[in-house]
Amino acid sequence: MYKLQKTIMILILTFLTACGTGENSTPITSESRFDMWDYMTSARSYEVEYDVYENEIKTDFYVETHKQFGEKYERESSGGLTTLNLHPNAILMDEPNENINIVRFLYLDDENIFQSPKIKNCRLSNFYEDYKKRDSLFHNVLQVTCHLNSGDYQEIYYGYNEGIVAIVENSSNLKTEYVKVGEKEIN
C-alpha cells in the first residue's frame, strides 16, 4: 500500500511540476529583450507566398525564396535579392536599392532601430503572442513601425523563426498589405 501511495504521489507531483513550464510561460515585459535575427530569419530554407491587397482588395500574390547560410540569409523575389548579414550587435541588410543597418538586440519601444537615408524612424512597437491578419494566424510576432522621409508609413510584422509575416504600407491614398499565406520547405 505504501508503494502505491508513493507512486501516486510521484505521478501527481510530476504532473503539477510539468504544468506551466512551456516555452512561452515567461510574460513579455518592458525588460524583455528580442534578438531581431531570430525574427527576421528562419533556421531552414523555404519558399513563401504572400497575398497582396490594395485598399482592401486582393490584387496579386508573389513568391519569395528564403535561404539560410549560417550568418548570412537571403530573400529573393521578382524585386531582387535581399541579403541579411549577422554581426555581433547589428544586422546589415543589403537590398537592391539601399542598405539598412538594423540594431540586433531590442526592447519594446526602442527607436531608430532601422537606419538608412530613406528612413526617418523605426520603432519596435508591439509583441503579439497571436497575430491574425486576413485569414492567417501567426504566433510570437514583433511589430516594427516605420516613418519614412517620403512621408510614407509602414508596419512590418516578423514571426519568430519565420521572417516577415505581414507588411502594411500607407502611401498617399494607397494602403498596400502583404500577408503570408503559405510556405514550403526547399533544399
Side-chain angles (χ1 to χ4, degrees):
M1 184 68 163
Y2 175 74
K3 277 187 167 184
L4 178 62
Q5 287 176 333
K6 187 176 178 181
T7 303
I8 291 172
M9 182 60 102
I10 290 171
L11 288 173
I12 290 171
L13 288 174
T14 302
F15 177 77
L16 291 175
T17 304
C19 291
T21 59
E23 204 173 57
N24 296 324
S25 62
T26 304
I28 301 299
T29 68
S30 61
E31 301 300 313
S32 299
R33 186 172 96 153
F34 301 95
D35 183 344
M36 285 303 289
W37 184 257
D38 293 339
Y39 286 85
M40 296 181 77
T41 66
S42 172
R44 58 192 167 78
S45 298
Y46 65 98
E47 189 176 88
V48 62
E49 182 178 333
Y50 295 90
D51 281 347
V52 181
Y53 296 84
E54 292 180 344
N55 293 333
E56 303 299 323
I57 298 169
K58 183 179 174 190
T59 58
D60 205 353
F61 75 94
Y62 84 96
V63 175
E64 196 172 68
T65 303
H66 293 229
K67 293 183 180 175
Q68 174 71 263
F69 303 101
E71 294 184 351
K72 180 180 173 184
Y73 192 82
E74 293 182 349
R75 296 189 316 237
E76 188 169 16
S77 68
S78 60
L81 177 68
T82 297
T83 304
L84 286 81
N85 295 291
L86 180 64
H87 293 270
N89 293 308
I91 300 166
L92 301 179
M93 182 163 60
D94 299 324
E95 292 190 315
N97 55 359
E98 75 176 314
N99 296 328
I100 300 172
N101 184 53
I102 300 164
V103 178
R104 180 175 173 191
F105 298 104
L106 300 170
Y107 297 91
L108 286 176
D109 294 324
D110 278 357
E111 297 199 19
N112 296 311
I113 62 173
F114 289 13
Q115 300 153 359
S116 86
K118 294 181 180 180
I119 297 172
K120 185 175 184 179
N121 183 28
C122 287
R123 176 176 164 257
L124 183 57
S125 300
N126 285 304
F127 172 84
Y128 302 96
E129 284 187 29
D130 297 308
Y131 177 74
K132 185 169 175 56
K133 188 71 169 170
R134 303 283 176 182
D135 292 328
S136 298
L137 179 63
F138 307 104
H139 306 287
N140 299 320
V141 173
L142 290 178
Q143 176 189 12
V144 173
T145 55
C146 295
H147 293 275
L148 307 181
N149 290 327
S150 65
D152 294 350
Y153 173 79
Q154 292 182 334
E155 295 174 357
I156 309 166
Y157 298 85
Y158 294 97
Y160 183 81
N161 197 25
E162 226 180 323
I164 296 171
V165 296
I167 299 174
V168 177
E169 296 177 343
N170 286 299
S171 174
S172 301
N173 293 328
L174 181 64
K175 178 181 178 183
T176 307
E177 298 175 67
Y178 304 86
V179 181
K180 182 178 176 179
V181 294
E183 67 180 53
K184 69 177 182 180
E185 196 160 348
I186 57 174
N187 294 326

